[in-house]
Amino acid sequence: MPVERIPKAAAKCACHGVVLEISGLDPGFTACHCDTCQFMHSGPGFGARCNDVKVVQGAELVKKYKPAAWATWHFCGKCGTRLHYKFENEAWKSQQDRYVVSVGLLYEAGVKKFKMANEVSYDEKPGYYCFAGHRPKLTTSETYVQYALDSQKP
Ligand SMILES: [Zn+2]
Ligand SMILES: [Zn+2]
């Protein structure tokens, strides 16, 4: 069920040094259980897809790290907040969703009313947690197929 996108949303890092303007934000976000997320976040990654991210303040603070060939994380070099990642893989980078923003930053956009739309890399999830409720759960290989399909969207 497609949920209406939020046209514009603002997000700040913990030290407020970096301010982002996010457009075309999907409030139906993804929980990723992959090993990279477990390592980087010490838990699953919660990411909301969006069309574009503009750094409106603090561009000089933004640092980048590329944990996988297909994505680059952008984080605040002062407070360490993980801001968003950007799809680098040409095959997966749809025009719709080139960026995935950390859901925790989206409090001004009403994040507490957002819905977890799906869970990906479910086969890599540790046994010590699981989320309540029903939603599609994809294995890592199913996730890759889905990303490739999504990228075909205009
Ligand atoms: Zn910061
Ligand atoms: Zn992940």
Side-chain angles (χ1 to χ4, degrees):
M1 67 202 109
V3 187
E4 207 166 302
R5 295 211 172 203
I6 298 168
K8 286 259 186 273
K12 297 184 186 88
C13 65
C15 75
H16 290 189
V18 180
V19 180
L20 304 176
E21 184 191 84
I22 296 147
S23 13
L25 176 64
D26 188 347
F29 67 88
T30 295
C32 180
H33 302 288
C34 81
D35 292 341
T36 304
C37 283
Q38 299 297 335
F39 192 93
M40 289 200 50
H41 313 298
S42 191
F46 298 134
R49 291 175 169 228
C50 64
N51 302 153
D52 202 12
V53 172
K54 282 194 181 68
V55 180
V56 293
Q57 186 192 298
E60 70 285 357
L61 295 174
V62 177
K63 304 285 182 225
K64 295 176 189 176
Y65 175 68
K66 205 171 178 205
W70 53 274
T72 302
W73 265 101
H74 296 230
F75 60 98
C76 173
K78 193 173 165 194
C79 69
T81 301
R82 289 174 292 268
L83 303 164
H84 64 84
Y85 71 81
K86 184 171 182 245
F87 279 107
E88 302 287 358
N89 185 324
E90 287 299 326
W92 291 347
K93 188 166 63 176
S94 79
Q95 289 176 15
Q96 280 285 321
D97 302 300
R98 284 177 297 145
Y99 298 88
V100 177
V101 184
S102 294
V103 167
L105 305 185
L106 300 167
Y107 55 92
E108 284 181 17
V111 70
K112 293 194 175 169
K113 292 190 181 136
F114 282 23
K115 291 259 186 307
M116 191 187 290
N118 53 25
E119 298 180 50
V120 301
S121 289
Y122 202 76
D123 50 327
E124 296 180 42
K125 185 182 81 61
Y128 48 73
Y129 70 80
C130 61
F131 298 122
H134 296 282
R135 62 190 68 79
K137 296 181 174 82
L138 283 71
T139 64
T140 301
S141 51
E142 288 167 343
T143 305
Y144 289 176
V145 169
Q146 188 61 51
Y147 285 174
L149 285 174
D150 287 351
S151 70
Q152 306 297 313
K153 287 185 209 157

